[in-house]
Amino acid sequence: MATASAGEGSAIDRELWDRLRVGDHFALGELFDRYADDVRAFAFRRTASWSTADDVVQATFLSTWRRFQRNPPGPLTGASARGWLLIVAGNECRTLARAASRLRGLVDRLPDPAPDDDHAPDVARRLDDERRMSAIRRAVAKLPRHERETLELVVWSGLTTAEAAEALGVPVGTVKARLHRTRRRFPDLLTRVALNEELS
């Protein structure tokens, strides 16, 4: 099956956005189909937890629907709705982190769960993923918030610098400057990422 061109993708997103603005809940389902995987990957990188990432996906699209019902934003001005959804996802990650912090005292007093007899390969893979991502998150947490958000959108989620600038509400030059500073701080962390294309 042929994939949609960038222009066709933009037109589809604008149509879905406009349908959402008039209360068409089917449009939300179509946006979910287009971007749930992107939101989930973004949330996993923010939280280092696949289960939390799944919660963030649900919260992101529920929050999006509520926003369009309560106070619809204006027409979509960017190339796609992805950047907007990732900003919402970032807010949901922070909300879940605050809730987890409030509950941590209670959870710490609970008895340890019984050992899990399921040693399926996918369970081991998920645990390895979460361990590795936790280490990366500890390093990235040392960045200022604005640099961290820029890295998450461009490096981890694949937005162009223009898309990230649109989502963050800053000039493209600001996004590029933040990426340069991040690359200087964490050269080893970013060695596998083709930042040269984004910064050229």
Side-chain angles (χ1 to χ4, degrees):
M1 182 173 62
T3 57
S5 70
E8 290 170 339
S10 298
I12 291 169
D13 278 14
R14 281 194 293 272
E15 177 195 348
L16 294 175
W17 190 272
D18 289 341
R19 286 168 53 195
L20 267 178
R21 294 179 69 219
V22 296
D24 183 349
H25 65 276
F26 291 110
L28 183 70
E30 293 179 50
L31 267 184
F32 182 93
D33 291 340
R34 287 171 67 79
Y35 295 117
D37 288 344
D38 291 336
V39 171
R40 185 171 185 261
F42 172 87
F44 173 69
R45 292 175 179 124
R46 284 288 297 265
T47 66
S49 166
W50 284 117
S51 61
T52 303
D54 289 337
D55 291 341
V56 169
V57 171
Q58 294 179 31
T60 295
F61 286 92
L62 179 59
S63 176
T64 296
W65 176 249
R66 288 175 175 163
R67 166 68 192 278
F68 274 83
Q69 289 291 291
R70 184 177 61 249
N71 183 23
L76 182 64
T77 57
S80 81
R82 186 167 62 139
W84 194 90
L85 289 167
L86 294 181
I87 293 296
V88 175
N91 292 335
E92 295 301 334
C93 287
R94 283 189 287 275
T95 298
L96 287 173
R98 286 193 295 268
S101 179
R102 287 194 297 268
L103 293 173
R104 194 167 292 120
L106 173 63
V107 172
D108 287 344
R109 292 192 296 271
L110 295 175
D112 290 337
D116 188 352
D117 293 333
D118 183 7
H119 299 292
D122 64 320
V123 174
R125 177 187 53 75
R126 287 166 67 94
L127 291 174
D128 287 343
D129 284 350
E130 292 180 0
R131 239 187 322 270
R132 283 193 298 269
M133 188 52 66
S134 291
I136 293 171
R137 287 302 308 171
R138 284 193 294 275
V140 172
K142 297 174 185 176
L143 289 170
R145 177 175 166 180
H146 62 276
E147 289 185 24
R148 187 170 64 245
E149 288 179 339
T150 303
L151 178 144
E152 289 164 348
L153 292 174
V154 177
V155 177
W156 284 346
S157 299
L159 266 64
T160 65
T161 52
E163 289 171 333
E166 173 80 24
L168 294 168
V170 299
V172 171
T174 299
V175 171
K176 292 182 178 182
R178 291 175 183 176
L179 292 172
H180 274 297
R181 286 195 296 271
T182 301
R183 186 169 58 178
R184 285 199 305 270
R185 290 176 196 257
F186 293 103
D188 295 337
L189 183 63
L190 303 181
T191 51
R192 297 180 184 176
V193 180
L195 276 181
N196 288 337
E197 292 183 11
E198 295 297 341
L199 300 177
S200 59

